[in-house]
Structure formats: structure tokens, C-alpha cells
Amino acid sequence: MLSKKLVYLFAVISLSGWLVSSLLIVLDNRNEKQYINEKITENAFNIVHQALQDKKNDAEIVAQMQEWFEKGWTAQTGSITTICDNNRRKLNQILSSDSIAIVCRLRI
């Protein structure tokens, strides 16, 4: 028969495996969600950025986006909605923080 020390050792080893694997699953899940959010907004950002190439400042960009929402241009407005819902930081490349807040309120 196994001694008590050996039984405890096996129990600790088996539990530590479960704990380590649980930790790895949680960390991987978090990284996967960040990766998915980044990829979700990548195409949407490219559509918006391409459509705004000739705009020079925040006022022109916001005015253009307002026009899209008024006219119901679904590719652009859908892209803005996707970016606002998943990764607003992506818009920092073309807009200031105040303008991002304005643009994301347009979709409501």
C-alpha cells in the first residue's frame, strides 16, 4: 500500500496540473478575444480610411460621416458601427478622441 506522503504528493501533482491548465485556458481565451476584436475592425477601418483619404481634418471627416449616416450608406456606416462597438482605439489613427465620441454617437 502507498504511504500517506506519496498519496499527498500525487494529489498535489494532479491538482497543480489542473490549475496550470485552467490558467492557460483563461489566458489563451483572453488573447483570442483581443485578436478577434482586432481582426473584426481591420476591414471596417480600411473601408472608412479609404473613403476619407481626401479629408484633411477632424471637422471634414465628421461632416463626411454625418453625410453617410444621413444618406444611409451602409458600407461606411456599418464599418463605423463595427469599429465603435469593437475597437474605438482604431479610429485614433485618423481622428481625435473628441471626434471619435461624436462619430460613435452618430450611429445611435
Side-chain angles (χ1 to χ4, degrees), residues 2 7 73:
L2 295 176
V7 170
W73 292 14

Side-chain angles (χ1 to χ4, degrees), residues 12-76:
V12 168
I13 290 172
S14 67
L15 288 176
S16 66
W18 280 99
L19 291 174
V20 169
S21 64
S22 298
L23 177 66
L24 291 174
I25 288 171
V26 168
L27 292 175
D28 187 53
N29 193 16
R30 186 178 303 150
N31 290 339
E32 186 175 317
K33 285 181 181 180
Q34 290 173 347
Y35 178 77
I36 289 170
N37 276 343
E38 181 65 32
K39 293 304 173 185
I40 284 171
T41 57
E42 192 170 303
N43 185 49
F45 179 77
N46 288 337
I47 291 170
V48 171
H49 188 260
Q50 178 70 27
L52 296 172
Q53 278 186 335
D54 61 333
K55 305 302 178 210
K56 304 293 186 235
N57 59 41
D58 282 4
E60 289 178 358
I61 292 172
V62 171
Q64 179 64 57
M65 290 183 180
Q66 285 174 333
E67 182 181 334
W68 292 342
F69 279 98
E70 288 168 5
K71 292 184 177 181
W73 292 14
T74 57
Q76 291 82 0

Side-chain angles (χ1 to χ4, degrees), residues 3 11 19 43 56 87 90 92 104 106:
S3 69
L19 291 174
N43 185 49
K56 304 293 186 235
N87 190 2
K90 193 92 166 164
N92 285 334
C104 288
L106 287 175

